[in-house]
Amino acid sequence: MTDRLYHVDGDVVPAEEASVSVRDRGFMYGDAAFETLRAYGGEVFRWDAHAARLAGTCDVLGMDHGLADADLKRRVDETLAANDLEDAYVRLSVTRGVQPGRLTPGVDVDPTVVVVVEPLPRGGVDGEDVWDGPATLQTVKTRRTPDRSLPARAKTHNYLNGILARVELRVTGADEAVMLDADGTLAEGATSNLFFVRDDALCTPSLDGPVLPGVTRATVLDVAESEGIPVREGAFTPDDLRGASEAFVTNTTWEVRPVATVDGIDVGGGPVTELLSRLFDARVERDHYASDP
Amino acid sequence: MTDRLYHVDGDVVPAEEASVSVRDRGFMYGDAAFETLRAYGGEVFRWDAHAARLAGTCDVLGMDHGLADADLKRRVDETLAANDLEDAYVRLSVTRGVQPGRLTPGVDVDPTVVVVVEPLPRGGVDGEDVWDGPATLQTVKTRRTPDRSLPARAKTHNYLNGILARVELRVTGADEAVMLDADGTLAEGATSNLFFVRDDALCTPSLDGPVLPGVTRATVLDVAESEGIPVREGAFTPDDLRGASEAFVTNTTWEVRPVATVDGIDVGGGPVTELLSRLFDARVERDHYASDP
């Protein structure tokens, strides 16, 4: 163990002592919202977008935790400062806490807030990728949970759907699972959004399907549009991805990660992937590392 | 707080100190198997059936925890003894523990085992129901998670699907949610199996759908068959339930609980419900409370 510090229920505590009650609903039922954040140069990337998504998750869960966004951000900032970390992975969780009774959640919530951090390399123009190389992707049998069962826009501690997808990768050792929806339409990776280039357009599964509205996904779409790259958010098949001229996956820690292969078929990154990755890094550099004028 | 004792990671500890690491996968992702058990007269009801289902859950999760069933049972028994409880609710959880890396689970597992207990009234012939009265049921919009996303036979800490169903009951105050599968076929309650009587046959959704193979469900079916009551396990509609001559729900703590209404429509228990409830109690009495001959 390092001398890492986490934030639990309002206090900064040594990581090895950071715990939650076995009666916490976050443990018993995965009844909790979370966000994966990335800090660059001491500041969380797009905090407002993450805070809005967290609030949306809590809405889906019918959980009014009563905490202000600023309070949550303060806990994240305190955790980064306590660990003297400027560039970091951050996991912020808000659980429904301990309640009387069993499954039915009470309206009165005494939430448990947990912040876990780990160091990451610097980002931006002079940054270093956190991944080893382009991702190998494999389409799995586990289907993304439909929105009518648990909305994909809710980022919760119920992550077994993605875990079962990753367990399927044990045989091939692929890096990421390509998950389809109930109808066999492309949805997303277990922890990433899917992008590919076809007929010179940047394609990605639309949020009409069971797809997490990724913050990096939104940033990449914004960058693409500002560059005049045609964007198609829609319904795609696994063959659309396998037959793409380039492909990449995104999430908060990976940022833009090129795809090497899909189901053993060479796809690779390419000029659009490289351009978007470079422009993403430039935004991070500008917003997080550039000296004030 | 009472002076209740729980069992965590091999030790009996005061309930208020019973905790798991915030890095435990059971907390981070709900990556854990569990069983709800009931102890009657100091012995867990149908331990073998629960142990087999727990093993099945771990199989689905690709989790080889390496613990013998007898070891798990010993921890349950130790917890009951430490609390001087003979009649109790027991929740036994086995998590994938703390692992390096993020979502992808490692093959080497150092599981966290947690046993939580609460007193319940005596069961059997002279027992007392744990519920207040016949259940009011309401059909909800949240659909049971399909087996291709997370198999229903796996009883895990991913319980938000049932929680969202229960949140829908806030407006009416109904006791239990009736959940349909993706096609609109009857599946199960949020924490119970559904039974109803139609044309003198005992009907229940078959395990071909996303339905937990309840231990009480199996016991009730066994009792019904031994009494010569015709049993139909199949695919049913919400109208089949609403139009039934009697209905009841089952789970480990409720045992056999009659249904008062479904979506506001009177259904009620009846002679079959009463007979099965009485015979269930008789089995519990015989196996758990009767003096040895």
Side-chain angles (χ1 to χ4, degrees):
Chain A
M1 271 289 185
T2 65
D3 49 0
R4 189 92 54 236
L5 301 167
Y6 295 160
H7 212 292
V8 181
D9 214 15
D11 297 314
V12 173
V13 295
E16 55 267 43
E17 293 167 24
S19 61
V20 294
S21 168
V22 299
R23 292 287 314 282
D24 194 286
R25 293 178 63 94
F27 175 68
M28 292 181 76
Y29 307 121
D31 190 5
F34 85 99
E35 285 293 317
T36 301
L37 309 156
R38 186 158 174 180
Y40 297 110
E43 268 297 318
V44 166
F45 183 68
R46 298 199 63 193
W47 165 258
D48 289 349
H50 285 285
R53 190 171 64 186
L54 186 72
T57 298
C58 293
D59 270 354
V60 168
L61 302 188
M63 185 206 308
D64 180 5
H65 56 66
L67 299 165
D69 286 354
D71 183 4
L72 296 172
K73 180 155 194 302
R74 180 184 54 77
R75 298 181 200 223
V76 170
D77 290 342
E78 282 177 7
T79 317
L80 290 168
N83 288 277
D84 201 16
L85 281 173
E86 300 239 301
D87 295 293
Y89 160 97
V90 181
R91 191 180 203 264
L92 166 65
S93 296
V94 181
T95 88
R96 206 172 332 233
V98 174
Q99 292 194 329
R102 304 247 159 85
L103 191 69
T104 303
V107 172
D108 290 333
V109 176
D110 179 13
T112 305
V113 179
V114 176
V115 184
V116 167
V117 295
E118 285 174 35
L120 283 185
R122 185 197 198 283
V125 172
D126 297 322
E128 190 184 319
D129 296 323
V130 302
W131 30 268
D132 282 334
T136 53
L137 267 50
Q138 182 190 324
T139 308
V140 295
K141 285 182 287 189
T142 302
R143 295 295 176 94
R144 210 50 162 161
T145 303
D147 280 347
R148 290 204 297 180
S149 296
L150 181 58
R153 68 181 182 281
K155 197 167 172 71
T156 75
H157 283 214
N158 275 214
Y159 235 92
L160 278 173
N161 181 235
I163 288 172
L164 294 188
R166 286 284 179 85
V167 166
E168 286 191 57
L169 306 183
R170 280 180 178 169
V171 177
T172 62
D175 296 310
E176 176 60 312
V178 174
M179 303 185 72
L180 313 178
D181 72 9
D183 300 322
T185 301
L186 275 184
E188 58 183 344
T191 65
S192 60
N193 287 116
L194 304 170
F195 285 89
F196 58 96
V197 178
R198 237 184 128 79
D199 303 329
D200 296 321
L202 180 66
C203 304
T204 193
S206 90
L207 301 181
D208 293 339
V211 174
L212 182 78
V215 171
T216 308
R217 175 186 183 279
T219 305
V220 164
L221 289 176
D222 187 52
V223 167
E225 276 161 17
S226 69
E227 281 297 299
I229 298 171
V231 168
R232 284 176 53 205
E233 294 182 74
F236 301 102
T237 69
D239 279 341
D240 290 332
L241 175 61
R242 292 187 199 115
S245 55
E246 35 183 311
F248 60 91
V249 288
T250 64
N251 69 29
T252 291
T253 45
W254 286 346
E255 303 169 322
V256 174
R257 183 179 184 182
V259 166
T261 60
V262 179
D263 300 327
I265 297 161
D266 283 328
V267 176
V272 176
T273 305
E274 278 163 38
L275 175 65
L276 291 170
S277 178
R278 197 160 50 73
L279 293 170
F280 184 92
D281 289 343
R283 282 207 183 188
V284 170
E285 189 71 29
R286 180 194 69 191
D287 295 344
H288 292 262
Y289 298 105
S291 328
D292 285 324
Chain B
M1 269 291 185
T2 66
D3 49 359
R4 188 91 57 235
L5 301 166
Y6 296 160
H7 211 294
V8 181
D9 213 15
D11 297 313
V12 173
V13 295
E16 55 266 45
E17 293 167 24
S19 62
V20 293
S21 168
V22 298
R23 292 287 315 279
D24 194 287
R25 293 178 63 94
F27 175 68
M28 291 180 77
Y29 306 120
D31 190 5
F34 84 99
E35 285 292 317
T36 301
L37 309 155
R38 187 160 172 177
Y40 296 110
E43 268 296 319
V44 165
F45 182 69
R46 298 200 61 194
W47 165 257
D48 288 349
H50 285 286
R53 189 171 63 185
L54 186 72
T57 298
C58 293
D59 270 354
V60 168
L61 302 189
M63 186 207 307
D64 181 5
H65 57 64
L67 299 166
D69 286 354
D71 183 4
L72 295 173
K73 181 157 193 302
R74 179 183 55 76
R75 298 181 199 223
V76 169
D77 291 343
E78 282 178 6
T79 317
L80 291 169
N83 288 279
D84 201 18
L85 281 174
E86 301 239 300
D87 296 294
Y89 160 96
V90 181
R91 192 182 203 263
L92 166 66
S93 296
V94 182
T95 89
R96 206 171 331 231
V98 175
Q99 293 193 330
R102 303 248 160 86
L103 191 70
T104 303
V107 173
D108 290 333
V109 177
D110 178 13
T112 305
V113 179
V114 175
V115 184
V116 167
V117 295
E118 285 173 34
L120 284 185
R122 186 198 197 282
V125 172
D126 297 322
E128 190 183 319
D129 297 322
V130 301
W131 29 269
D132 282 334
T136 53
L137 268 51
Q138 181 189 324
T139 308
V140 295
K141 284 182 288 188
T142 302
R143 295 296 175 93
R144 210 49 161 164
T145 302
D147 280 347
R148 290 203 298 179
S149 296
L150 181 58
R153 68 181 182 282
K155 197 168 170 71
T156 75
H157 283 214
N158 274 214
Y159 234 92
L160 278 174
N161 181 235
I163 288 171
L164 294 189
R166 286 285 179 85
V167 166
E168 287 191 56
L169 307 184
R170 281 181 177 169
V171 177
T172 62
D175 296 312
E176 176 60 311
V178 173
M179 302 185 73
L180 313 179
D181 71 11
D183 301 322
T185 301
L186 274 184
E188 58 183 345
T191 64
S192 61
N193 289 115
L194 304 170
F195 284 89
F196 58 96
V197 178
R198 235 185 130 80
D199 303 330
D200 295 322
L202 180 66
C203 304
T204 193
S206 90
L207 300 181
D208 294 338
V211 174
L212 182 81
V215 171
T216 308
R217 176 186 182 278
T219 305
V220 164
L221 289 176
D222 187 53
V223 167
E225 275 161 18
S226 70
E227 280 297 300
I229 297 171
V231 167
R232 285 176 53 204
E233 293 183 76
F236 300 102
T237 69
D239 278 341
D240 291 332
L241 175 62
R242 293 188 197 113
S245 56
E246 31 182 313
F248 60 91
V249 287
T250 64
N251 69 30
T252 291
T253 45
W254 284 347
E255 303 170 323
V256 174
R257 182 178 184 181
V259 166
T261 59
V262 179
D263 300 328
I265 297 161
D266 284 327
V267 177
V272 176
T273 304
E274 277 163 36
L275 176 65
L276 291 170
S277 179
R278 196 160 50 73
L279 292 170
F280 183 93
D281 288 344
R283 282 208 182 186
V284 170
E285 188 72 28
R286 180 194 71 193
D287 295 343
H288 290 264
Y289 298 104
S291 329
D292 285 325

